Amino acid sequence: MKSLFLIFLMCVFVLSEISIAGDIKGKVKAKGVKNAANAVIYIAKIKGKTFTAPKEAELMDQKNMSFVPHVLPVLAGTRVNFLNADDVLHNVFSPDDCVDKFNLGSWPKGQEKSYVFKNPCEVTLLCNVHPEMSAYVLVLETPYFAVTDKEGNYSIKNVPPGKYTLKIWHEKLKGKEVSVTVPEKGEVTENFEIKR
Amino acid sequence: MNFLISTQRNLLFIFLLVFTFIFLAADQLSAIPAFARKYNTSCSTCHYAYPKLNAFGKAFKNNGYRYPAGQDAEMTKEEPVSLGSEGYKKVWPDAIWPSDIPGTVPVSMHAIGRVFAAGGFDDPTTTATEEDKIVSFEIPHELELLFGGTIGENLSFFGELEWEHIEEFAYEFALQYDFSPGFHLKLGSVGPQATPEHHKLTAEHYNVVDLKTQSGKFRLRNGAGGGIEFWGAGNGIGGSGGFTYAIGIGNGQNDADNFDINKEKDIFGRVTYKFGGLGEIGGTEGQTNNTSAFYEDNSFRIGGFFQKGTALATNLNDEFSVFGGDIDIWYNRLNVVALVMNMSSDYKGYDRKSLAYFVEANYVLYPWVIALARYEFTDIDTDIANPTVSSLIPGVVFMVRANVKASLEFKIPLDDASKNANKEKITLQFNFSI
């Protein structure tokens, strides 16, 4: 009887969590680039609130001489596994101080090496064997983020109701941050324009 | 009448141009910006500093100008043009075997300019013979059109057109059938590639490839002219290092119509074995490193080569043979290459024996700055006590961009005769390739 009550309470809690959350969606217009893909829209640090990094690692692939995905937003503390999917030697290193300029070396096809991104910052990833390859890991302080598709569409789901600062990041372009109020139910639309 | 004389002069000029080419074979090249466009990748994927190949560049070449391990199709970013769908393989011999060609014209341009200060300048405004130092802007020195690529799954090609100064025009190409990385059949411009893939980074040619036979009609960088070559490569145990081989036959010296100038053919061969480092045909098996860089490949390679042939001058045969060996050591940022060569030249009843060697060290200070030093020694005739020629060539190479290079070198003569002849030379060379 006691366990049934506990399950009931958990269900109520879960349902309430699901129902009391809204979505942020919108479209990004990018000027000066081929398309609006790979912009990151994210909620900036929320005062007094911290989040635990997911136990599951994210994956960054090196396939057909490209980092896939090109842009990977993660919550601080997230482990990222780097897979070499090519039968060509690749390398992963970063020139950024916030990740101690790490260099993972190179490894055979099908194998992975990993790195934990602890500090919030923008991390540039490069391959010192193939200079044309690059990627970005955007280490954030909240788990509420999304990456735009080629048309510039994005959607951040299940955001608790409240007032937040919504920011946008792009490797080449800049946009203004906005203040957004997420309703208890439904969605709010915020469009961005980014340019050089 | 004047017109006829003028036409005859022009024809003679053209004849001389082509004839000059026969004796001034171009440097061998291995990779070009056309490949960078095809694969959407940087020059440094294949080059230590162009034209010198890195380990991956050699593996790419050894795969018939293809990505290793059968990945070429997926690595090709520039969509090829189909010359027949895959299904036509089932129709053959009642149809042409299907193939494809590069999506854009696989041509690149390479320009070289030089500024040098050297001796041997005879002032034309005075009657006296003077050999002073002069600073000269030799710009342009050379212009090349390079082309290379693949035709379908098994054919590949490479060639160039080269204009050097006003009187030198050269062209060469080869088409090869790539059965597998271990066996290629090349038809076209062939030769033993005595300094394998280690094309010079600066202006000064290696002494061994510039050493001429007695008639002056052969030197190693001429190669074996038009001919046929079987060659191949394979990885060593555990996927690293490995072997390369080449054996071939060519006209050697050609006439102005690219016919053999004599009935004798040149034969040549080459074999190498590499210990450690990237496999000769690439792949990633066993290639875990804590650090890596496009200019590093910790390995040791040893090789041997020969060429035997007959050159013709003033109706007399110059029977020559060369054989030699080289080592190629890569340790982190340091690369040391050494080559020793013996040459025999039997001409006008005298069999001259020559010895030449060089040792060169290259060190990557930054990925775009390479310091180098070379020691060269040549004994033109080992049977007589003639003065030998030796020199030291320190230099520095700047990769201004991946496709723009500047180099500064100082040739310091070490033997008395060269010193007395004022043979020291400072050369600034710049190249760009697009």
Side-chain angles (χ1 to χ4, degrees):
Chain A
M1 189 64 184
K2 198 177 177 182
S3 56
L4 276 175
F5 181 69
L6 276 173
I7 290 168
F8 172 76
L9 277 180
M10 279 177 70
C11 289
V12 169
F13 177 75
V14 168
L15 286 171
S16 65
E17 280 293 304
I18 290 170
S19 57
I20 306 173
D23 298 343
I24 306 171
K25 66 169 200 172
K27 200 172 176 78
V28 174
K29 197 174 172 182
K31 285 185 174 175
V33 288
K34 273 186 180 174
N35 59 57
N38 288 321
V40 179
I41 294 90
Y42 62 96
I43 289 178
K45 183 176 173 61
I46 303 167
K47 271 189 181 175
K49 204 154 189 188
T50 55
F51 298 91
T52 310
K55 286 181 182 170
E56 294 243 326
E58 293 285 343
L59 181 71
M60 174 77 78
D61 201 350
Q62 287 179 296
K63 189 171 173 55
N64 294 347
M65 304 280 281
S66 295
F67 282 101
V68 182
H70 181 62
V71 174
L72 179 66
V74 297
L75 179 63
T78 301
R79 177 180 296 277
V80 176
N81 292 338
F82 294 94
L83 168 69
N84 180 7
D86 288 337
D87 215 342
V88 170
L89 284 180
H90 287 300
N91 160 268
V92 179
F93 82 98
S94 175
D96 294 316
D97 290 329
C98 66
V99 286
D100 299 324
K101 298 183 177 179
F102 74 83
N103 185 342
L104 298 181
S106 57
W107 52 96
K109 181 184 182 180
Q111 294 185 18
E112 294 176 358
K113 281 195 180 182
S114 63
Y115 185 84
V116 178
F117 291 84
K118 294 175 187 163
N119 304 316
C121 65
E122 171 196 321
V123 183
T124 303
L125 298 177
L126 300 169
C127 168
N128 68 10
V129 187
H130 304 109
E132 72 278 8
M133 290 175 64
S134 72
Y136 296 89
V137 172
L138 199 63
V139 190
L140 302 169
E141 293 169 282
T142 73
Y144 308 116
F145 49 74
V147 182
T148 54
D149 61 18
K150 281 185 179 176
E151 282 71 45
N153 299 309
Y154 78 92
S155 178
I156 307 173
K157 302 227 179 258
N158 297 323
V159 182
K163 195 173 179 184
Y164 305 107
T165 301
L166 194 62
K167 291 187 171 180
I168 186 165
W169 175 93
H170 187 274
E171 64 179 291
K172 289 179 181 166
L173 309 178
K174 288 184 168 43
K176 287 177 182 169
E177 63 182 44
V178 295
S179 183
V180 63
T181 303
V182 178
E184 289 190 352
K185 211 172 182 182
E187 59 192 31
V188 59
T189 301
E190 280 296 341
N191 296 327
F192 287 88
E193 185 173 302
I194 51 176
K195 55 190 175 186
R196 288 184 192 274
Chain B
M1 192 65 179
N2 285 341
F3 170 75
L4 280 175
I5 291 168
S6 171
T7 305
Q8 281 174 342
R9 277 182 183 167
N10 286 339
L11 284 172
L12 181 64
F13 181 62
I14 291 166
F15 174 83
L16 285 172
L17 271 180
V18 177
F19 200 72
T20 304
F21 145 70
I22 305 303
F23 303 110
L24 296 167
D27 293 342
Q28 287 165 339
L29 292 157
S30 292
I32 52 173
F35 289 125
R37 281 187 276 275
K38 179 178 178 181
Y39 297 103
N40 200 6
T41 192
S42 172
C43 310
S44 58
T45 293
C46 287
H47 292 278
Y48 171 87
Y50 87 88
K52 179 171 174 167
L53 293 170
N54 61 24
F56 181 82
K58 292 171 194 169
F60 177 77
K61 187 181 171 209
N62 289 338
N63 279 276
Y65 305 110
R66 291 174 177 85
Y67 262 73
Q71 305 172 97
D72 200 65
E74 56 205 77
M75 294 300 187
T76 302
K77 306 295 191 302
E78 183 188 75
E79 197 62 33
V81 175
S82 173
L83 302 182
S85 65
E86 191 74 6
Y88 268 93
K89 287 179 181 175
K90 295 177 185 174
V91 183
W92 193 85
D94 294 321
I96 296 172
W97 191 264
S99 180
D100 58 56
I101 55 172
T104 55
V105 182
V107 174
S108 308
M109 191 269 291
H110 182 213
I112 305 171
R114 289 176 182 167
V115 183
F116 61 85
F121 175 66
D122 184 11
D123 190 344
T125 61
T126 63
T127 51
T129 300
E130 298 171 5
E131 294 211 343
D132 297 329
K133 284 271 180 294
I134 182 175
V135 174
S136 183
F137 295 96
E138 189 199 353
I139 306 169
H141 164 75
E142 186 175 333
L143 186 67
E144 298 168 345
L145 286 179
L146 310 163
F147 53 97
T150 55
I151 302 171
E153 294 168 357
N154 298 101
L155 288 167
S156 59
F157 60 96
F158 204 97
E160 70 169 321
L161 298 161
E162 176 187 318
W163 291 266
E164 184 175 328
H165 304 142
I166 196 70
E167 76 279 12
E168 292 180 27
F169 170 70
Y171 63 98
E172 65 176 28
F173 67 80
L175 179 69
Q176 63 185 17
Y177 194 89
D178 310 302
F179 292 91
S180 72
F183 185 59
H184 306 264
L185 172 59
K186 184 196 276 188
L187 191 63
S189 309
V190 295
Q193 298 188 24
T195 51
E197 300 97 19
H198 286 124
H199 309 294
K200 62 195 176 69
L201 290 174
T202 58
E204 198 67 36
H205 282 289
Y206 290 115
N207 63 331
V208 292
V209 298
D210 242 6
L211 178 61
K212 291 179 178 171
T213 56
Q214 289 187 83
S215 65
K217 300 299 182 188
F218 172 79
R219 55 186 169 180
L220 202 53
R221 70 184 173 105
N222 291 17
I228 189 167
E229 177 180 331
F230 302 92
W231 70 279
N235 283 351
I237 296 165
S240 64
F243 67 89
T244 69
Y245 71 90
I247 187 158
I249 184 168
N251 280 346
Q253 192 183 355
N254 282 343
D255 68 9
D257 296 319
N258 274 351
F259 291 124
D260 201 341
I261 206 161
N262 53 26
K263 61 182 180 182
E264 287 83 8
K265 299 293 179 200
D266 282 20
I267 56 168
F268 63 91
R270 168 158 186 78
V271 63
T272 70
Y273 196 86
K274 178 182 174 184
F275 300 89
L278 188 72
E280 289 282 16
I281 60 169
T284 58
E285 184 188 352
Q287 296 291 322
T288 301
N289 293 305
N290 289 330
T291 60
S292 58
F294 67 88
Y295 47 81
E296 290 183 2
D297 181 42
N298 290 350
S299 60
F300 174 81
R301 193 189 199 204
I302 187 164
F305 64 90
F306 78 94
Q307 182 167 345
K308 184 170 173 29
T310 306
L312 185 69
T314 56
N315 298 322
L316 287 171
N317 281 338
D318 183 357
E319 305 276 352
F320 68 85
S321 65
V322 294
F323 66 94
D326 56 73
I327 56 170
D328 184 15
I329 302 164
W330 295 72
Y331 183 70
N332 296 337
R333 289 169 177 253
L334 178 68
N335 169 229
V336 177
V337 189
L339 190 149
V340 60
M341 182 186 79
N342 275 293
M343 174 185 276
S344 166
S345 168
D346 192 350
Y347 182 60
K348 290 184 177 175
Y350 181 63
D351 188 5
R352 190 192 76 186
K353 302 278 191 301
S354 309
L355 170 72
Y357 62 83
F358 73 81
V359 182
E360 181 181 274
N362 300 268
Y363 189 82
V364 177
L365 298 169
Y366 290 95
W368 58 279
V369 184
I370 300 165
L372 61 91
R374 185 159 93 226
Y375 172 75
E376 295 185 338
F377 174 89
T378 305
D379 187 348
I380 195 80
D381 194 331
T382 57
D383 290 332
I384 60 169
N386 63 326
T388 57
V389 179
S390 58
S391 53
L392 181 66
I393 308 172
V396 61
V397 174
F398 300 95
M399 296 306 297
V400 181
R401 298 288 184 272
N403 63 332
V404 181
K405 186 176 74 178
S407 64
L408 184 65
E409 68 182 336
F410 185 22
K411 185 171 186 178
I412 307 165
L414 300 177
D415 59 283
D416 290 339
S418 301
K419 280 181 196 170
N420 294 337
N422 214 11
K423 292 283 187 185
E424 61 267 19
K425 186 177 182 183
I426 299 172
T427 308
L428 169 69
Q429 177 170 284
F430 66 93
N431 317 39
F432 66 95
S433 195
I434 55 171

